[in-house]
Amino acid sequence: MPRSEREGLILSAATDEFGRNGYAGASMVDIARLVGVTKPLLYQYFGSKDGLYLACLHRAGDRLTQGVAETMAAGGEPEQMPLAVLGAIFRTFDHDRYAWKLLRDTSLPTVGEIGDAVRDYRQQLDAFALIGATQLMHARGLTENQDIEAIAHVWTGVVDSLISWWIDQPGEDAAAMTDRCARIMKNLFGW
């Protein structure tokens, strides 16, 4: 098997393992077993558990931030942007749901390369939330900065909760989850 193909399989298995068990609870032995390789091969490819986690994190974080950035850059009505962003997130992680948890893992080191990378992705996502909240609230005539910051903070919590719920719904694909969110938003917020 070509190295790039094997690395892809390792990253998929490791993402699931890290997502299910957290950084602290994930086992390199279990990841190797899932892929059918040896633990030394994981270390040969990625150097360490941290190196493997970082590879998984960058794969997930880059795809997510790119998908959200492209969706927001496409523009549209501020009222429709929250659902468009959710749809982009669901499509990004439709076949790789545990990747989301890599960005939210509370067992991660808070210092060093992993801590820095997670902080960077979270800051990018928070910035997108603030831009979206600003556009939406300005369209509704609300311009108080602290109100907008509070709404952006609430939004990130809503997104995290929805994705966490979705992870446990294997029969619900990205399109179905986007439709569900459209119904919820229409009934809760009139969007």
Side-chain angles (χ1 to χ4, degrees):
M1 176 182 300
R3 180 180 174 133
S4 62
E5 190 176 329
R6 181 174 285 130
E7 281 184 9
L9 293 173
I10 292 169
L11 290 175
S12 292
T15 296
D16 284 353
E17 175 72 10
F18 287 126
R20 290 177 195 273
N21 299 306
Y23 171 84
S27 162
M28 295 291 274
V29 170
D30 289 342
I31 294 167
R33 185 181 40 75
L34 287 169
V35 182
V37 299
T38 64
K39 184 177 165 185
L41 184 71
L42 294 180
Y43 286 97
Q44 180 185 346
Y45 278 23
F46 299 99
S48 64
K49 183 178 181 180
D50 285 5
L52 179 55
Y53 194 92
L54 279 167
C56 294
L57 177 66
H58 287 305
R59 180 173 160 257
D62 290 349
R63 287 175 26 225
L64 176 61
T65 54
Q66 180 181 349
V68 172
E70 288 173 358
T71 299
M72 292 183 76
E77 294 296 316
E79 297 280 335
Q80 298 303 314
M81 191 55 65
L83 185 60
V85 167
L86 278 172
I89 294 169
F90 296 139
R91 286 187 303 277
T92 297
F93 293 137
D94 198 15
H95 301 289
D96 196 16
R97 294 183 188 191
Y98 282 101
W100 173 260
K101 292 197 173 231
L102 300 180
L103 298 163
R104 297 291 180 209
D105 185 352
T106 58
S107 73
L108 289 173
T110 57
V111 295
E113 199 171 357
I114 291 176
D116 292 345
V118 169
R119 223 174 350 273
D120 181 56
Y121 286 120
R122 287 180 183 170
Q123 287 172 350
Q124 288 180 62
L125 294 171
D126 289 346
F128 289 138
L130 186 59
I131 291 167
T134 300
Q135 291 170 347
L136 179 60
M137 292 301 101
H138 282 193
R140 292 181 167 193
L142 179 67
T143 58
E144 171 60 43
N145 285 339
Q146 286 189 307
D147 289 349
I148 293 169
E149 288 174 13
I151 290 165
H153 186 77
V154 168
W155 174 249
T156 60
V158 167
V159 170
D160 188 43
S161 294
L162 285 169
I163 295 171
S164 295
W165 180 83
W166 179 56
I167 288 169
D168 295 327
Q169 311 302 316
E172 184 116 342
D173 67 9
M177 189 61 187
T178 303
D179 290 344
R180 180 174 308 286
C181 289
R183 289 190 303 276
I184 291 168
M185 288 178 165
K186 181 178 181 181
N187 285 300
L188 279 179
F189 308 114
W191 296 348

